[in-house]
Amino acid sequence: MLLRLPTSLTEAQDCMAEGAVPIGGATLVWALWQRDGFPEQAMSLRSLPEATMLEREALGAAVLLHRIDDRVPEVLRGAASTVGTGAVRRTATVGGNIVGSTLRCLLPAALVLDTRATALDRDGVFETDLAEVVAKRHLLLSLHWRTPMASGYHKAPAEAGGPPPLVVATAVHAEEDGRRRVRVAVRDGYEVIGGSADCTAGTDETLRALAATDLGSLPPGIGDVMRGEVSGVLARAAGG
């Protein structure tokens, strides 16, 4: 197998056109390749500047999870720090987790940040939302968001090899009109359920508004966890 390491977007497009298979840290595909056979060419974005940025409001798809630090919001940092083991986090990438993984541990965190994605195809670079990236398995270059007022990440304890643990991600954003909005994403099993509500009026009104979204269909126990996480992030956003 030939591993190609493009250093420019043009080179990356050439690799795609020539059939190179994109990989992240290869933590997910290596076992499959050993079983089913290796492709003739693979492509890593680890030498591409557009895919390796780590900034206050941007994160490259080729960034290794263990490198994600306090430059990014708490919710995204918390998500990255709980993926697998330390050895996995030193190999796995942002893009591999969001696009290649069935668990997509970073996805709830990215959703509550109202993240936009930059991707690459044979026609060039384009911006899209995370739903399209996941559904169409685009070649992800980077994620971009606006810094929230406060955010939080909860992941329930779970045994290795067991069912996916519950994840609740929350973030409070300042709107242009001076109001505030809370965004919530819950991973229950392999499904991610999201909702948002104006949170200017206070915690009780916010929770009632969230209950009118898809989040209102959560089982009672999970709903209790979600409400506790929302109450906590609202208090932090208010300086409490």
Side-chain angles (χ1 to χ4, degrees):
M1 181 182 73
L2 173 65
L3 177 62
R4 303 183 66 173
L5 300 168
T7 58
S8 70
L9 294 175
T10 300
E11 287 183 23
Q13 287 177 285
D14 290 342
C15 292
M16 296 175 69
E18 294 168 15
V21 178
I23 60 171
T27 56
L28 299 169
V29 298
W30 196 260
L32 295 176
W33 287 349
Q34 288 181 313
R35 184 191 68 191
D36 301 331
F38 288 79
E40 291 185 6
Q41 298 184 63
M43 173 177 63
S44 170
L45 301 182
R46 67 189 186 205
S47 298
L48 188 65
E50 291 84 352
T52 54
M53 64 179 74
L54 177 51
E55 302 172 0
R56 183 169 173 265
E57 296 188 335
L59 184 62
V63 173
L64 300 177
L65 300 186
H66 83 101
R67 292 189 55 232
I68 296 176
D69 55 25
D70 58 7
R71 281 173 283 185
V72 307
E74 179 182 345
V75 63
L76 195 54
R77 187 167 71 251
S81 69
T82 60
V83 173
T85 64
V88 169
R89 293 190 292 274
R90 287 190 292 273
T91 306
T93 64
V94 171
N97 184 272
I98 290 179
V99 181
S101 169
T102 55
L103 291 178
R104 299 188 175 98
C105 297
L106 299 186
L107 182 58
L111 288 173
V112 300
L113 292 176
D114 198 20
T115 297
R116 296 290 292 173
T118 301
L120 179 70
D121 63 16
R122 296 183 184 184
D123 295 323
V125 176
F126 62 98
E127 184 178 289
T128 185
D129 58 36
L130 288 173
E132 180 173 321
V133 168
V134 171
K136 297 185 178 180
R137 299 179 68 84
H138 289 309
L139 179 59
L140 181 65
L141 290 177
S142 58
L143 305 174
H144 305 264
W145 60 84
R146 289 186 303 110
T147 300
M149 300 177 67
S151 65
Y153 184 82
H154 167 85
K155 187 175 186 178
E159 294 183 5
L166 171 69
V167 164
V168 180
T170 53
V172 176
H173 297 265
E175 302 284 277
E176 292 182 358
D177 61 2
R179 303 179 72 83
R180 297 180 179 182
R181 176 161 291 270
V182 63
R183 298 182 183 276
V184 184
V186 177
R187 188 187 72 189
D188 180 18
Y190 291 95
E191 299 297 320
V192 177
I193 300 172
S196 69
D198 184 288
C199 57
T200 309
T203 301
D204 291 341
E205 286 295 324
T206 301
L207 292 175
R208 280 193 284 271
L210 289 173
T213 71
D214 291 344
L215 296 167
S217 66
L218 292 170
I222 295 176
D224 289 343
V225 175
M226 183 271 292
R227 287 186 285 273
E229 290 297 305
V230 170
S231 297
V233 77
L234 291 179
R236 291 195 295 278

